Amino acid sequence: MNTSQPQHDPALAVTLPKDLDLVLRVMPMPADSNSNGDIFGGWIMAQVDLAGSVLPARIAKGRVVTVAVNEFVFKQAVSIGDLLSFYARVERIGRTSITVHVEVYAERNPADLKVVKVTEANLTYVAIDRDGQPRVIPRD
């Protein structure tokens, strides 16, 4: 056996979550990368913000705005060609705000598929009215 080759350990394999909602899928393009070929962190943050707003907008039945990025962790670099899947779970629903946990997974190398968690974040959104003022989240 050639020990210089990395060994595949099924116990270490990451799978896409089944307990979170898939809210966005996107493949970064060359224009989203830096000079090293990695995807800009700011681009990933923008996608996380979009993905994170999906569930709050449904729950609030209308417009929501981001009021806080409570935590944002980059776990691994993202490359051109990675298929990114954004999964979300509502952590808390307040009177006017909703806090969401978002996890981002990259599917790499389709010929020998590898799934890795690349980012996770917690964000808070507030439901707003037409005048941009906070409004109570409907409870039905």
Side-chain angles (χ1 to χ4, degrees):
M1 178 161 87
N2 183 349
T3 57
S4 65
Q5 293 295 318
Q7 300 302 306
H8 177 71
D9 182 353
L12 298 177
V14 174
T15 58
L16 297 174
K18 295 181 179 17
D19 60 336
L20 303 174
D21 290 318
L22 176 63
V23 291
L24 178 68
R25 257 202 181 138
V26 65
M27 185 175 289
M29 302 304 286
D32 307 316
S33 67
N34 60 28
S35 60
N36 297 320
D38 297 324
I39 301 305
F40 284 114
W43 182 88
I44 296 168
M45 291 179 86
Q47 302 308 306
V48 167
D49 190 21
L50 289 170
S53 70
V54 170
L55 298 178
R58 278 187 199 152
I59 293 165
K61 296 183 166 80
R63 192 170 166 200
V64 296
V65 293
T66 311
V67 296
V69 177
N70 308 310
E71 179 182 32
F72 207 104
V73 180
F74 292 103
K75 296 180 168 291
Q76 289 196 28
V78 174
S79 301
I80 297 166
D82 286 351
L83 176 60
L84 300 182
S85 298
F86 296 73
Y87 289 84
R89 171 182 64 240
V90 171
E91 294 288 316
R92 180 185 170 282
I93 300 174
R95 187 173 159 279
T96 62
S97 67
I98 300 172
T99 300
V100 178
H101 177 74
V102 178
E103 296 181 4
V104 185
Y105 294 82
E107 295 176 53
R108 298 182 168 154
N109 189 13
D112 184 24
L113 187 62
K114 181 178 180 185
V115 177
V116 295
K117 185 190 283 190
V118 293
T119 303
E120 61 184 312
N122 290 308
L123 304 98
T124 301
Y125 299 85
V126 168
I128 60 170
D129 63 19
R130 287 186 179 160
D131 297 321
Q133 297 302 307
R135 65 178 171 83
V136 175
I137 296 168
R139 303 289 182 164
D140 51 33

